[in-house]
Amino acid sequence: MAKEFQVPGKDLVQKIWEEFGLNEQRLKESVEALKKWLAMEPHLPEESGSLHEARLERWLIRCKNSMERTKQSIDFYYTLRSLSPELMCDWNPRSKWYQDAVQLNCCFPMPELTPEGDRVILIKYLTKDTTNYVHDDLVRLCLMAADVRMCEDYCRKDVYILDMENYTLGHACKVKFTSFKKGEVGLMKAFSARLKAIHFINAPSCAEVLIAIIKSVYSSKLRLRIYVHGNDLTEFNKQVPRMSLPDDLGGTGGSLQENWDLWLKKVDSYRDWFLEHENFKSDESKRQGGDFDSGDLFGFEGSFRSLNVD
């Protein structure tokens, strides 16, 4: 039976702190320093409260206690919300796009960490019917999950699993390179995900284009952490503990549907926060030092708003 989403115990949290030379006092001082920095940046929104402080703490951990990297990641986050609203806004879990999307795809973290303290995130196409499939919506679901995790999750690294059992040519025809690139920027720069591995499982031959696109948006270092498995999951099961997998994939963490249903309840509990957060984005007219260079964020030349490459 699936469990509620669990945060790690105090021992693992302290171990993660120690890995980056932090303790409770140093972390508190760093969070206060980030709050002061944010208050001096006119183009960034003003947030407050315990949840905001918790997010700053996680940003700092994900950036390995580098204040400069943390500031850059926070800036990327708010800037991406401003420059890419089609993916980073309208995150109301009761909106029509969301209700449609969660019937066609799932993206959720498994509730139990691996023994090493890593978090497994499972992505799957729930049906082969692509009549109403919208590729951007899957990216949005993944970014929403990342934002909820930024509020309360603690882990060492992320292990992404893309179950391609229901992936078809219909999905392949609707893949958008720009959405993947923006999603990669969101995960790796805005949320500063620490990626341990990406596993493609049950991958059919028609998934080769998708896998090639995903590899193309990651650095050469991260490409080495991408693994492709067909229907034989022998090697996959050696790398991912059963306790952190759903029953459907030979694990002991409850069924995929049970886990997905529990995660949907978790996301819905953030509805008010999502609605309040809707306008928390960068104001590029107030950015000091001139306009933001979208090439720095997305890796493309020229204006992001005029970019249209599928």
Side-chain angles (χ1 to χ4, degrees), residues 48-204:
S48 60
S50 58
L51 187 57
H52 176 54
E53 293 183 357
R55 288 164 64 78
L56 294 179
E57 176 181 324
R58 284 160 177 79
W59 252 308
L60 193 68
I61 294 293
R62 286 169 172 239
C63 294
K64 302 180 181 180
N65 193 24
S66 166
M67 188 64 69
E68 194 57 37
R69 284 183 58 190
T70 304
K71 292 177 181 178
Q72 186 180 55
S73 183
I74 293 171
D75 198 344
F76 276 144
Y77 171 80
Y78 290 117
T79 303
L80 191 60
R81 288 182 60 80
S82 177
L83 297 184
S84 190
E86 78 280 6
L87 296 179
M88 295 288 287
C89 294
D90 188 20
W91 282 3
N92 181 355
R94 299 177 194 177
S95 62
K96 186 178 186 307
W97 81 262
Y98 180 88
Q99 293 296 322
D100 290 342
V102 299
Q103 301 299 317
L104 304 175
N105 322 268
C106 68
C107 175
F108 62 89
M110 288 296 293
E112 194 159 347
L113 295 170
T114 70
E116 292 78 21
D118 300 323
R119 181 71 68 187
V120 171
I121 299 95
L122 184 65
I123 300 171
K124 183 171 183 176
Y125 303 90
L126 296 177
T127 175
K128 294 183 178 182
D129 183 0
T130 60
T131 305
N132 299 313
Y133 175 74
V134 179
H135 177 73
D136 280 4
D137 290 349
L138 174 57
V139 179
R140 291 167 93 182
L141 291 180
C142 294
L143 293 173
M144 287 178 73
D147 221 356
V148 171
R149 290 181 58 219
M150 184 65 83
C151 294
E152 60 181 84
D153 194 11
Y154 243 108
C155 66
R156 291 187 68 254
K157 294 185 179 181
D158 291 343
V159 177
Y160 276 85
I161 299 172
L162 282 76
D163 188 345
M164 312 293 287
E165 180 184 17
N166 293 321
Y167 188 78
T168 68
L169 283 173
H171 292 100
C173 292
K174 296 186 178 184
V175 167
K176 297 171 65 178
F177 173 79
T178 48
S179 295
F180 269 118
K181 182 58 184 177
K182 295 174 199 174
E184 184 266 343
V185 169
L187 290 175
M188 305 306 296
K189 291 189 176 181
F191 293 110
S192 290
R194 300 183 63 207
L195 190 63
K196 183 175 183 178
I198 298 177
H199 293 277
F200 290 89
I201 62 174
N202 299 315

Side-chain angles (χ1 to χ4, degrees), residues 111 124 158 250 263 275 307-308:
K124 183 171 183 176
D158 291 343
W263 182 251
L275 295 177
L307 180 67
N308 183 18

Side-chain angles (χ1 to χ4, degrees), residues 205-246:
S205 58
C206 63
E208 292 178 359
V209 173
L210 173 67
I211 296 170
I213 289 175
I214 292 178
K215 285 184 176 181
S216 72
V217 302
Y218 284 104
S219 67
S220 56
K221 177 182 178 181
L222 291 178
R223 283 180 210 138
L224 297 175
R225 301 177 189 176
I226 296 176
Y227 305 91
V228 181
H229 313 271
N231 296 325
D232 184 353
L233 302 183
T234 304
E235 289 301 317
F236 167 75
N237 288 326
K238 291 179 182 178
Q239 299 181 55
V240 184
R242 294 181 64 204
M243 60 190 289
S244 300
L245 289 174

